Amino acid sequence: MTTYMKFFGELTDLKEIMREYVCNMPMSESSFNNSVFTGGNLIGSCWNKAFLQEADFSGCLIQEAHFEQANLRGASFRDAIAVPGIYQSERWERPGFQPVSFAGADLTGVQFQGAYLKDADFTGAILQGADFMGAAFEGACFKGAVLDGARFSLGMHPVV
């Protein structure tokens, strides 16, 4: 099913809008509960304090995105990629850019299976029941995070 909306006065496929225009857009304090962003380019987007319950970010590029204090209960980040830097020619260049941040976010029951979350910031996040099976998250910060019932692959435990 395709969803359409008026965008600059024209009826446009919402999925195309999201792919083209969400990158580097401020979406703070907006509401996108149950929305689908699968495979989108969300590099540098800002979702601070947004309502994103049950949203689907599967397969999205989310490096340098900000989800601070967002409500992401039940959302999916399966196979999402969050690596600080800019992707160029099959390798990451210009290290030192900001990693994805979920600081203070409610990530209760969120699915992170297969996601690559290098240096992600989960400081103070609520991760009760979150599923990190098969996810890679080297360098991630879980300081002060609530991890009750969170699932991790054998040998992949967060440093808190």
Side-chain angles (χ1 to χ4, degrees), residues 4-36:
Y4 293 92
M5 68 176 283
K6 286 267 187 179
F7 191 70
F8 293 117
E10 295 184 28
L11 197 59
T12 309
D13 181 345
L14 182 58
K15 193 169 190 172
E16 292 304 312
I17 292 170
M18 300 315 289
R19 281 194 179 148
E20 188 71 27
Y21 296 101
V22 172
C23 183
N24 292 309
M25 271 185 92
M27 304 298 241
S28 295
E29 300 185 34
S30 54
S31 181
F32 285 96
N33 291 331
N34 299 301
S35 295
V36 177

Side-chain angles (χ1 to χ4, degrees), residues 33-89:
N33 291 331
N34 299 301
S35 295
V36 177
F37 301 95
T38 55
N41 178 352
L42 306 179
I43 296 171
S45 55
C46 184
W47 305 85
N48 296 341
K49 298 182 180 178
F51 296 92
L52 298 158
Q53 292 182 46
E54 304 287 330
D56 189 354
F57 294 95
S58 297
C60 285
L61 297 174
I62 58 170
Q63 56 267 28
E64 300 187 25
H66 297 271
F67 294 92
E68 287 99 349
Q69 299 177 12
N71 183 339
L72 288 150
R73 287 176 160 258
S76 177
F77 286 89
R78 292 175 192 242
D79 301 314
I81 299 173
V83 179
I86 296 176
Y87 183 74
Q88 294 178 0
S89 305

